[in-house]
Amino acid sequence: MEKHKHATMTMERQFEIIEGSVTTPQGFRASGLHCGLKKTSRNDIGAIVCDVPAVAAAVYTTNAFQAAPLAVTRASLAAEGKLRAVLVNSGNANACTGKQGEADANRMRSAFAEQLGVAPHYVAVASTGVIGEPLKMDCIERGIAELPAGLTAVGEGAEQFAQAILTTDLVKKEACAVVTIDGKPVTIAGSAKGSGMIHPNMATMLGFVTTDAVIEQEVLAALLKRTTDATFNMITVDGDTSTNDMLLAMASGLAGHETLQESHSDWSAFAEAFQYVCEQLAKAIARDGEGATKLIEVRIAGAASNEAASAIAKSIVGSSLVKSAVFGADANWGRVIAAIGYSGQQVNVDTVDIQVGPIAVLSQSTPVAFDEEEALAYLKGDTVMFHVNLHMGTGAATAWGCDLTYDYVRINAAYRT
Amino acid sequence: MEKHKHATMTMERQFEIIEGSVTTPQGFRASGLHCGLKKTSRNDIGAIVCDVPAVAAAVYTTNAFQAAPLAVTRASLAAEGKLRAVLVNSGNANACTGKQGEADANRMRSAFAEQLGVAPHYVAVASTGVIGEPLKMDCIERGIAELPAGLTAVGEGAEQFAQAILTTDLVKKEACAVVTIDGKPVTIAGSAKGSGMIHPNMATMLGFVTTDAVIEQEVLAALLKRTTDATFNMITVDGDTSTNDMLLAMASGLAGHETLQESHSDWSAFAEAFQYVCEQLAKAIARDGEGATKLIEVRIAGAASNEAASAIAKSIVGSSLVKSAVFGADANWGRVIAAIGYSGQQVNVDTVDIQVGPIAVLSQSTPVAFDEEEALAYLKGDTVMFHVNLHMGTGAATAWGCDLTYDYVRINAAYRT
């Protein structure tokens, strides 16, 4: 069987990957601390602040029930399309909390704006944690009072922020890239959290991307939407879509190059670096899914369209049976084919190839004898890839997820109590 | 909060529930035995045989990849719409087995037809088990040779059959009802298997319904389709839809009443009894889902339409987070509201009521203080009901599922090996 081209193709990067955080781009500072929302001593409130009004754009959960902070952030962005800060708490989602929740989200915004001495519409807010319980506003207000003192533009503030947005996540998630625009270095960085209720169309995920690029609001918003569809919307942990998801991008404009447009000669490099940061964060969320021991990557080629490839990739990576088999290091490709079959997409049932990592297991829909020991060794690694070629067209897509484990059940059987 | 009417409403039954099996209706015999497909000594091949050509109808999986036996059964039904027998094996699904699989499924049919001395198109076949491995035809042929000797019209044969169709199921699933048509007793009975890869639109489920009713093929087919949509298509174990699902109904016509039509004065009683048998089997499959410790029943009222209610019910009962919370006896209604919100259906976000069993937890989308101890006691029971009223219209639906447990993961991490 011909090996899939996408498995071996390498693309020359137009950007540089560096160690960095949301405060690496010029103009950003961050901080985080424990204010009392979480029962442990882990950080539960944090903020990113920009020295200048940053061009900003966001995408939100598609869940019909949207938590109170989302409406407040929408209102802030609608005013001018610029932000000076985003304030985030974990431990409580402020979702399904009625009028009180709306008042609390507004109060978060105005109190932090007052603290910073900026207009309220320059502040965005986000919350993640338990649904349906009122926010402890005394904790929030204490946090707001103490946050500004910790704001730093070096690693420490960003580290505290990255910790403050986590819930059941085990590790913080950061990514950073530098790209050259008009001969000047432009930095893009991001911080995100997962880790349950993660499913395409935004999840229980919060993501914050900062950059010092000079870019117009509409152009940033369009790039953010397109990039989200190829990255954050291609991950799933459990098929549940949360009430609180938000991805927010802020551009300080301090890099001082010509304003970015799609017609700019360095646009593709910028878009690629932007996508790299988002993809790294998305994959980190999938890998750190609740209870996960492995990252699963599903690459579809030869589909009738990119949309079909995307639906098939998500069907496979969302299958509880595929996820359980990966946990058990079982090369059970029958579950992969079943998930392709119920994806609702057009499939030629006679021309499907499947590889588990480098191992061909199905060729032209016919089982290929393979070495079970070799498959077991591959499946015991911490990243498991499935390559599917449908031989129908040129549609392609990649999706990411994680295995389904005892710990997923343990964590979610007793999350609230 | 007004208690949901459907929680207390009782309907007078037009039929009688009795102990019985697929051989209780007149004209049917069954048998089952171990032929060697399963590594254990559990039965792995079985058959139901009718003394006369029975009017027959079937519904099949919606998975694009359909196992070889489905095509063979379709061909049998297409010939005359009547069957003398159905032959079922477990331990191997004969799916994704290419040309050899088709030949094997055809051979199963012709060998059993020969054994019974009937035309091949009077025999249906079904398989369930591992995907992608060739059928051991020597085992199958030995089984076919021995099955006729065990055929009995009393409980023993049906018991052996019910055992023979199981895979990871823990218990056999049977239901039986008697209804009076033209003053004569008519019996409807069924036997089914689950228990993973169970999701609306047919699942890894096989179901066999027998009756001695006199009914035309088109009428039986329409009733079967409609009943499936309200019963088997309203259950989910893990959201995976199998390649092998089939529900087959056979009517011997030996009860000797006037031919049933929708215009018959006893039609509603018959349809109700038929639905009862299917619903009992569907609920038994959900309750015996892989690793399950509880049956979850979700009842939606006040939706914009029955279709919307159905989609919302399935969204809730399919949520890994809701399922994990039920396993942990956690009254986490926030996950219920999240699942309503991502169902893709129109929802008024301000008018939702939720009850966990008898306990109101959300009224008009606002949390209701409830006794956590009382909720815990309720959730520790073996059946957990969620009542949701959307207060938007008159749409209603009920769906069934099971909790997500450590054992689900254990079973599916190492099913094939």
Side-chain angles (χ1 to χ4, degrees):
Chain A
M1 185 175 79
E2 184 199 17
K3 293 269 167 142
H4 299 298
K5 290 206 184 70
H6 57 227
T8 50
M9 192 174 66
T10 57
M11 196 166 60
E12 202 165 327
R13 270 199 201 102
Q14 303 183 72
F15 59 91
E16 194 188 341
I17 299 163
I18 64 166
E19 286 274 316
S21 66
V22 289
T23 57
T24 308
Q26 297 177 64
F28 293 95
R29 292 174 293 143
S31 71
L33 53 85
H34 175 73
C35 72
L37 296 170
K38 284 179 183 162
K39 289 168 191 162
T40 66
S41 62
R42 290 174 69 188
N43 284 2
D44 49 19
I45 193 164
I48 301 172
V49 174
C50 188
D51 296 337
V52 297
V55 168
V59 288
Y60 308 93
T61 182
T62 55
N63 197 303
F65 294 92
Q66 304 210 344
L70 275 64
V72 172
T73 293
R74 274 201 170 89
S76 287
L77 283 176
E80 206 178 317
K82 292 186 175 174
L83 291 177
R84 289 289 306 276
V86 57
L87 175 68
V88 190
N89 76 273
S90 58
N92 185 315
N94 193 13
C96 301
T97 41
K99 295 287 170 205
Q100 187 58 48
E102 291 171 28
D104 290 345
N106 267 305
R107 176 71 194 136
M108 277 177 71
R109 178 172 80 155
S110 59
F112 197 52
E114 202 174 322
Q115 189 72 246
L116 298 174
V118 302
H121 74 261
Y122 278 138
V123 175
V125 291
S127 299
T128 178
V130 174
I131 295 176
E133 292 184 5
L135 258 185
K136 289 181 187 160
M137 285 305 290
D138 53 335
C139 296
I140 295 278
E141 302 216 0
R142 186 164 60 242
I144 287 172
E146 293 173 12
L147 276 173
L151 286 170
T152 66
V154 291
E156 175 60 15
E159 166 73 23
Q160 294 299 331
F161 174 80
Q163 296 292 346
I165 64 176
L166 306 182
T167 53
T168 52
D169 305 65
L170 297 179
V171 297
K172 63 171 177 154
K173 293 150 188 79
E174 293 179 316
C176 191
V178 177
V179 60
T180 303
I181 311 284
D182 298 336
K184 295 181 175 160
V186 171
T187 308
I188 304 164
S191 183
K193 61 86 50 179
S195 88
M197 225 185 245
I198 298 287
H199 191 59
N201 299 317
M202 294 281 91
T204 303
M205 58 145 282
L206 297 177
F208 305 96
V209 177
T210 59
T211 177
D212 41 24
V214 188
I215 187 168
E216 281 178 12
Q217 205 276 336
E218 294 73 19
V219 179
L220 179 65
L223 176 65
L224 187 69
K225 172 76 180 67
R226 200 162 60 237
T227 304
T228 301
D229 284 342
T231 58
F232 292 106
N233 283 345
M234 291 304 289
I235 61 175
T236 188
V237 166
D238 51 19
D240 283 60
T241 304
S242 135
T243 53
N244 285 56
D245 308 331
M246 190 196 303
L247 177 65
L248 180 71
M250 292 189 283
S252 71
L254 296 177
H257 51 80
E258 292 285 313
T259 301
L260 279 169
Q261 305 278 1
E262 295 207 23
S263 56
H264 192 292
S265 61
D266 293 326
W267 172 258
S268 77
F270 179 76
E272 196 183 283
F274 194 89
Q275 173 151 348
Y276 165 80
V277 168
C278 290
E279 185 176 312
Q280 288 303 110
L281 295 175
K283 285 166 71 171
I285 288 172
R287 184 184 288 283
D288 193 23
E290 287 177 335
T293 68
K294 294 171 204 292
L295 176 71
I296 303 176
E297 180 168 320
V298 175
R299 293 191 184 192
I300 307 295
S305 66
N306 288 343
E307 293 66 33
S310 176
I312 291 166
K314 288 195 264 191
S315 180
I316 295 169
V317 86
S319 159
S320 292
L321 288 166
V322 170
K323 290 153 61 72
S324 300
V326 169
F327 174 55
D330 179 5
N332 197 324
W333 57 264
R335 295 175 179 175
V336 175
I337 202 115
I340 297 168
Y342 64 70
S343 67
Q345 302 303 310
Q346 206 195 331
V347 176
N348 182 335
V349 299
D350 297 319
T351 61
V352 181
D353 295 346
I354 300 178
Q355 277 180 222
V356 180
I359 306 157
V361 294
L362 195 76
S363 177
Q364 296 293 303
S365 298
T366 302
V368 176
F370 61 91
D371 183 336
E372 292 272 357
E373 289 304 313
E374 185 191 355
L376 185 66
Y378 175 75
L379 284 158
K380 282 188 168 170
D382 69 357
T383 301
V384 170
M385 298 187 63
F386 291 97
H387 299 276
V388 175
N389 195 326
L390 300 165
H391 294 293
M392 293 178 71
T394 57
T398 303
W400 300 274
C402 60
D403 53 345
L404 176 60
T405 70
Y406 299 121
D407 272 357
Y408 177 86
V409 177
R410 184 185 56 72
I411 292 163
N412 286 301
Y415 176 65
R416 203 179 54 99
T417 47
Chain B
M1 184 175 80
E2 185 200 14
K3 294 270 167 140
H4 299 296
K5 290 206 184 70
H6 57 228
T8 49
M9 192 174 66
T10 56
M11 197 167 58
E12 203 166 326
R13 271 198 201 102
Q14 302 183 74
F15 60 91
E16 193 189 342
I17 300 163
I18 63 166
E19 286 275 317
S21 67
V22 290
T23 56
T24 307
Q26 297 177 63
F28 294 95
R29 292 174 295 143
S31 71
L33 53 85
H34 176 74
C35 71
L37 297 169
K38 284 180 183 162
K39 289 168 192 162
T40 65
S41 62
R42 290 174 69 187
N43 285 3
D44 50 19
I45 193 164
I48 301 173
V49 174
C50 189
D51 296 337
V52 296
V55 169
V59 288
Y60 308 93
T61 183
T62 55
N63 197 305
F65 294 92
Q66 302 209 346
L70 275 64
V72 173
T73 293
R74 274 201 172 88
S76 286
L77 283 177
E80 204 178 320
K82 291 186 175 177
L83 292 176
R84 286 291 305 275
V86 56
L87 175 68
V88 190
N89 77 272
S90 57
N92 186 314
N94 193 13
C96 302
T97 41
K99 296 286 170 208
Q100 186 59 49
E102 291 171 28
D104 290 344
N106 268 305
R107 176 74 194 132
M108 276 178 71
R109 178 173 79 155
S110 59
F112 197 51
E114 201 174 322
Q115 189 71 249
L116 297 175
V118 303
H121 74 262
Y122 278 139
V123 175
V125 291
S127 299
T128 178
V130 175
I131 295 176
E133 292 182 6
L135 258 185
K136 290 181 185 158
M137 286 305 291
D138 53 336
C139 296
I140 295 278
E141 302 216 0
R142 184 163 62 243
I144 286 171
E146 293 174 12
L147 276 173
L151 286 170
T152 65
V154 291
E156 176 60 17
E159 166 72 24
Q160 294 300 331
F161 174 79
Q163 297 292 346
I165 64 177
L166 306 182
T167 52
T168 53
D169 306 65
L170 297 179
V171 296
K172 64 172 178 153
K173 293 150 189 77
E174 294 179 316
C176 191
V178 178
V179 60
T180 302
I181 311 283
D182 299 336
K184 293 180 178 163
V186 171
T187 308
I188 304 164
S191 184
K193 62 85 51 180
S195 88
M197 226 186 246
I198 297 289
H199 191 60
N201 299 318
M202 293 282 89
T204 303
M205 59 145 281
L206 298 177
F208 305 95
V209 176
T210 58
T211 177
D212 41 24
V214 188
I215 187 168
E216 282 178 11
Q217 206 276 336
E218 294 73 18
V219 179
L220 179 64
L223 176 65
L224 187 69
K225 171 78 180 67
R226 201 162 59 236
T227 304
T228 301
D229 284 341
T231 58
F232 292 106
N233 282 346
M234 291 304 289
I235 61 174
T236 187
V237 166
D238 51 19
D240 283 59
T241 304
S242 135
T243 51
N244 285 56
D245 308 332
M246 191 197 302
L247 176 66
L248 180 71
M250 293 189 282
S252 71
L254 296 178
H257 51 79
E258 293 284 313
T259 302
L260 278 169
Q261 305 278 1
E262 294 206 25
S263 56
H264 192 292
S265 60
D266 292 325
W267 171 260
S268 77
F270 180 76
E272 197 183 282
F274 194 90
Q275 173 150 348
Y276 165 80
V277 168
C278 291
E279 185 176 311
Q280 288 303 111
L281 295 175
K283 286 165 72 171
I285 287 171
R287 184 185 289 283
D288 193 23
E290 286 177 336
T293 68
K294 295 171 204 293
L295 175 71
I296 302 176
E297 180 168 319
V298 175
R299 294 193 182 192
I300 308 295
S305 66
N306 287 343
E307 292 68 32
S310 176
I312 292 167
K314 288 195 262 191
S315 181
I316 296 170
V317 86
S319 160
S320 293
L321 288 166
V322 170
K323 291 154 61 72
S324 300
V326 169
F327 174 54
D330 180 3
N332 197 323
W333 56 265
R335 294 173 180 176
V336 175
I337 203 113
I340 297 168
Y342 64 70
S343 66
Q345 301 304 311
Q346 204 195 333
V347 175
N348 182 336
V349 298
D350 297 319
T351 61
V352 180
D353 296 346
I354 301 177
Q355 279 180 218
V356 179
I359 304 158
V361 294
L362 196 75
S363 176
Q364 297 292 303
S365 298
T366 303
V368 176
F370 61 91
D371 183 336
E372 292 273 358
E373 290 304 312
E374 185 191 354
L376 184 65
Y378 175 75
L379 284 158
K380 282 188 166 169
D382 69 357
T383 301
V384 171
M385 298 187 63
F386 292 98
H387 300 276
V388 175
N389 195 325
L390 300 165
H391 294 293
M392 292 177 71
T394 57
T398 303
W400 299 274
C402 60
D403 53 345
L404 175 60
T405 71
Y406 298 122
D407 272 358
Y408 177 86
V409 177
R410 184 185 56 72
I411 292 163
N412 285 301
Y415 177 65
R416 203 179 54 100
T417 47

